[in-house]
Amino acid sequence: MSSHVPALRRYIAKRAQPGDVDDLVQDVLVRMHVRGQADPVANVEGYLFQVAASVLTDRARRDTVRHRGAHHELTEAVHPIDELTPERVLRGREDVDRLANALEEMPEMTRDAFVLHRFEEMSYDAIGEHLGISSSAVGRHIMKAVRFLAARDLP
């Protein structure tokens, strides 16, 4: 079997991406191993390339289903690393402090409605029931809170 590996590698290299060749060769060899010695194969080389064609077809089918061509390599250019610098940490802490102070300045009902919706992820109906107000009133309080925070350049 190992004597056929170089020819198998060339066959696959002509039909697949260079980075996939080793994996595909391994898939072929695994399939051949799993098949075992149950029935002897008259033409081992022919059968090996038939298995290789099947592996290539299966890979192409999986790539299509998984939209492999639409994926991007995980590189700095495509997915930049967002470093956690001391300045960024400090700026984040300052933003949290500013947000906490702004929430303290809001009217109580507006703050409660906003916090329950944004941080507790409650629905308008659930907030209305909890605070004893209508769902539309909850919406008005949340919009008031959003405008209040936007005026202070907060998220």
Side-chain angles (χ1 to χ4, degrees), residues 81-154:
I81 297 172
D82 195 12
E83 293 188 34
L84 212 52
T85 63
E87 294 83 15
R88 185 164 170 244
V89 171
L90 179 62
R91 199 172 33 240
R93 288 181 181 161
E94 289 171 349
D95 287 346
V96 168
D97 289 342
R98 288 179 43 227
L99 178 61
N101 290 335
L103 287 172
E104 288 297 320
E105 294 173 15
M106 275 184 203
E108 184 178 357
M109 186 71 72
T110 301
R111 178 182 57 241
D112 290 347
F114 180 78
V115 167
L116 289 172
H117 182 64
R118 288 290 171 97
F119 300 115
E120 300 298 326
E121 298 179 357
M122 289 177 67
S123 68
Y124 283 21
D125 290 335
I127 295 168
E129 189 175 311
H130 181 74
L131 297 176
I133 59 176
S134 69
S135 296
S136 60
V138 170
R140 286 192 297 274
H141 280 291
I142 291 173
M143 287 309 299
K144 182 178 177 182
V146 168
R147 283 192 297 272
F148 187 87
L149 295 174
R152 286 157 180 75
D153 197 29
L154 289 166

Side-chain angles (χ1 to χ4, degrees), residues 34-90:
V34 168
R35 182 190 182 286
Q37 303 288 342
D39 295 321
V41 176
N43 180 359
V44 174
E45 188 173 7
Y47 184 71
L48 182 69
F49 288 102
Q50 184 180 0
V51 171
S54 176
V55 165
L56 287 165
T57 301
D58 290 348
R59 171 64 66 100
R61 192 176 304 122
R62 274 194 313 273
D63 289 351
T64 300
V65 169
R66 295 178 182 163
H67 304 286
R68 185 174 180 209
H71 296 186
H72 296 286
E73 191 174 328
L74 190 58
T75 61
E76 176 69 26
V78 178
H79 301 283
I81 297 172
D82 195 12
E83 293 188 34
L84 212 52
T85 63
E87 294 83 15
R88 185 164 170 244
V89 171
L90 179 62

Side-chain angles (χ1 to χ4, degrees), residues 9 12 17-28 59:
R9 180 175 293 285
I12 291 175
Q17 298 292 325
D20 294 339
V21 173
D22 290 335
D23 290 340
L24 292 166
V25 168
Q26 183 177 359
D27 287 348
V28 171
R59 171 64 66 100

